[in-house]
Amino acid sequence: MKSKILVLFIILQFNIISLYAKESIIAHNVKVSFDNKILSKIVVYKSKLSKIYYLPINDIVKIYHGKHYYIYDNNVCKIVKVYIKNNEIILHPNSKKVIIRNKTNFISSYPKLINKELYVPDDFFSLKDFTNITSTTMNCVPKIYTLNIVRIPNITVVEYCLSDNRARISLHCIKLLNYTVLKKTEKNIVIKIFNGKVLKKNFININDGVINNIICNNDHNDVIIKINLQAITKRININMYKNKININITHLSKKSINNLQKTYYFVNTSKVFTSTNNNNQKINNATFHNKKKKKVIVIDAGHGGQDSGAIGITGTKEKDINLLIAKELKKIFEKHTIYKIILTRSNDKFISLENRISIANKSYASLFVSIHCNASQNINANGFEIYFLSDSSYGQDYKKTSIKDNSILQFENNDNYMLKAILHSMAVNKYINEAAELCNFITMEIRNKSKMNNRGIKQANFYVLKRVKMPAILIESAFLSNYIQEKNLNSKKFRNIIVNAIYKGIINYYKYIDKGHENKTN
């Protein structure tokens, strides 16, 4: 009987393998548009079985004005090398591994050699490293047989400051861009930024006696910035510092409004967001703390549902420990009526990162605290660590932790993930200092209340920390990969130590913030 079952199993496996081997594909003629301009038509193949689209690497490279080389061994293509903007990409016809700028990436399925031309699955073009090289996003629209390639906006913020007889306009770019001054007169200044892009034409009306208006508009592959002046100018100086193009104007107007600061964000397709700070007063709704008003805290239990997070040596799932700590934190905070606690999840349910971020932002919370457990290939690794936002972090431990806690993205429909992430990263994050203070208070409590190894405060580029509009921290409570700490995390007594340290740290943070606000208003 056992032998018959074994034979049936082998036959079944063989049939499955044969099915994949004979995977049929359908050819489609697809229009290619670049920034809404039709360029050409290409042949795209769609798999009947997996419904994956395969795009011709030869044609794609031409669109980006790159080069490609097929490397053969005994008339068999072994490697395809692609060069876009002097960046090397290495593809293997029989491998899901892709090397981009010496970094290893993985795609969902094997590339296909069709008529001696390499076709790659469409998710190749949404790889972060590819997006960074090309500064574009790519979207295939099957119903109308169109492939849309869109350049990612790289001019994101216009900052305007006015003080005494000086005015400064700063154009924030996400990378270093070359520019030229087309015109510089008493009436207007015109600047062309090469390879720049804004989301749409922006008309910024200022009319303050010095600047009449600023017009930002796309011009083919460049951006034209026109600044119309009202005051008589004494001197105009234009320079680039880091990723900002600064236009410094010395004027002779006596009608101007002094100490004016405005910031215009080009991060929404429908409108330009403006925020104005007069007399150098910085007003921030998310971090303005009123003692009589409830303090809203969003506690995010990491992972959940099909996303288990890290799994301990004896099988403890990170998602379960995170939820226990989050619920215990909520319980202790709600003993005081001044706090309102919102959980991103209250059961074993999958919540996408976008929804977690949306919950936090819509609640106008004053803090976002994401709870996680750590894990390492080193089973002796142990301790408590805490993160706040950074655009650049270093070290192998950070990289491994970041990969683990951002891994939820694989469970999401992330067609727009890269564009949204990049657009948001353009805006200046105002909450890093507050988050660093919070981390400091919690770390001090961990030192005082436990004998745990304190791994310190670190900075990381976690997705949830980047996207929330409030001070945000991510806590790695202890290591599930460490047998002793896994056992401890299953103990309510041990978890209470962590919960009380977090609670007391947040209380002390609010006292510090409230005291600081009192000093400023007195």
Side-chain angles (χ1 to χ4, degrees), residues 317-329:
K317 293 179 180 177
E318 181 189 352
K319 64 176 183 176
D320 298 330
I321 300 296
N322 296 342
L323 186 58
L324 286 170
I325 292 174
K327 284 183 173 180
E328 287 158 7
L329 261 174

Side-chain angles (χ1 to χ4, degrees), residues 442-454:
I442 293 173
T443 301
M444 283 193 290
E445 290 302 315
I446 284 288
R447 284 198 192 111
N448 295 337
K449 289 182 166 37
S450 78
K451 295 179 181 179
M452 282 179 70
N453 173 31
N454 192 334

Side-chain angles (χ1 to χ4, degrees), residues 452-471:
M452 282 179 70
N453 173 31
N454 192 334
R455 295 169 65 90
I457 300 168
K458 299 179 181 180
Q459 288 185 270
N461 206 8
F462 293 115
Y463 189 75
V464 287
L465 299 188
K466 278 182 73 172
R467 302 289 308 283
V468 292
K469 299 173 183 176
M470 66 212 64

Side-chain angles (χ1 to χ4, degrees), residues 17-55:
I17 292 165
S18 300
L19 183 64
Y20 277 93
K22 294 176 182 178
E23 182 183 3
S24 58
I25 51 177
I26 309 166
H28 295 288
N29 286 316
V30 171
K31 292 178 184 176
V32 179
S33 76
F34 195 95
D35 272 350
N36 298 319
K37 293 178 182 177
I38 300 296
L39 295 182
S40 59
K41 281 188 176 183
I42 62 172
V43 176
V44 170
Y45 287 92
K46 181 185 177 183
S47 166
K48 278 187 176 182
L49 183 66
S50 62
K51 297 183 180 179
I52 292 171
Y53 286 88
Y54 292 87
L55 282 67

Side-chain angles (χ1 to χ4, degrees), residues 274-330:
T274 66
S275 62
T276 307
N277 299 326
N278 289 317
N279 301 322
N280 295 327
Q281 290 180 341
K282 295 184 178 179
I283 299 172
N284 186 327
N285 291 331
T287 55
F288 184 88
H289 299 288
N290 186 332
K291 286 187 177 181
K292 295 179 182 179
K293 196 174 180 181
K294 277 198 173 187
K295 294 173 174 24
V296 180
I297 305 169
V298 172
I299 299 175
D300 171 47
H303 308 284
Q306 67 265 40
D307 177 24
S308 299
I311 297 176
I313 295 170
T314 64
T316 304
K317 293 179 180 177
E318 181 189 352
K319 64 176 183 176
D320 298 330
I321 300 296
N322 296 342
L323 186 58
L324 286 170
I325 292 174
K327 284 183 173 180
E328 287 158 7
L329 261 174
K330 178 180 168 71

Side-chain angles (χ1 to χ4, degrees), residues 7-170:
V7 170
L8 286 170
F9 178 76
I10 292 168
I11 292 169
L12 181 63
Q13 291 292 316
F14 178 77
N15 287 337
I16 291 170
I17 292 165
S18 300
L19 183 64
Y20 277 93
K22 294 176 182 178
E23 182 183 3
S24 58
I25 51 177
I26 309 166
H28 295 288
N29 286 316
V30 171
K31 292 178 184 176
V32 179
S33 76
F34 195 95
D35 272 350
N36 298 319
K37 293 178 182 177
I38 300 296
L39 295 182
S40 59
K41 281 188 176 183
I42 62 172
V43 176
V44 170
Y45 287 92
K46 181 185 177 183
S47 166
K48 278 187 176 182
L49 183 66
S50 62
K51 297 183 180 179
I52 292 171
Y53 286 88
Y54 292 87
L55 282 67
I57 199 70
N58 296 16
D59 291 321
I60 299 300
V61 170
K62 284 179 186 175
I63 291 167
Y64 289 109
H65 306 289
K67 296 177 181 179
H68 62 281
Y69 304 95
Y70 286 75
I71 299 170
Y72 290 87
D73 184 14
N74 293 327
N75 293 323
V76 177
C77 180
K78 294 292 184 181
I79 296 173
V80 178
K81 288 189 176 184
V82 172
Y83 295 90
I84 297 174
K85 297 180 181 178
N86 296 321
N87 296 289
E88 185 182 64
I89 301 169
I90 300 174
L91 296 151
H92 301 267
N94 297 315
S95 174
K96 295 180 184 179
K97 186 166 72 171
V98 179
I99 309 296
I100 303 176
R101 289 197 295 196
N102 296 320
K103 291 182 183 177
T104 301
N105 296 261
F106 291 93
I107 48 181
S108 60
S109 57
Y110 296 102
K112 294 183 180 296
L113 273 172
I114 303 170
N115 298 327
K116 296 184 178 181
E117 186 176 348
L118 191 73
Y119 285 74
V120 292
D122 51 8
D123 66 331
F124 164 78
F125 301 99
S126 61
L127 290 173
K128 182 180 178 181
D129 288 327
F130 183 82
T131 304
N132 288 342
I133 284 173
T134 60
S135 299
T136 61
T137 58
M138 193 178 291
N139 180 32
C140 196
V141 186
K143 290 182 181 179
I144 57 173
Y145 297 111
T146 303
L147 179 70
N148 294 322
I149 302 171
V150 180
R151 287 193 306 135
I152 295 168
N154 52 21
I155 301 168
T156 59
V157 178
V158 171
E159 211 171 42
Y160 177 54
C161 300
L162 184 63
S163 177
D164 298 327
N165 66 331
R166 294 183 181 180
R168 169 180 281 188
I169 299 164
S170 296

Side-chain angles (χ1 to χ4, degrees), residues 462-485:
F462 293 115
Y463 189 75
V464 287
L465 299 188
K466 278 182 73 172
R467 302 289 308 283
V468 292
K469 299 173 183 176
M470 66 212 64
I473 62 170
L474 187 144
I475 292 168
E476 298 279 3
S477 57
F479 279 75
L480 277 174
S481 52
N482 181 296
Y483 177 76
I484 294 171
Q485 289 207 323

Side-chain angles (χ1 to χ4, degrees), residues 158 202-206 212-216 264 266 272 274:
V158 171
N202 294 285
F203 179 88
I204 303 169
N205 186 39
I206 295 176
N212 184 10
N213 52 55
I214 303 170
I215 302 168
C216 308
Y264 303 86
F266 301 155
V272 177
T274 66

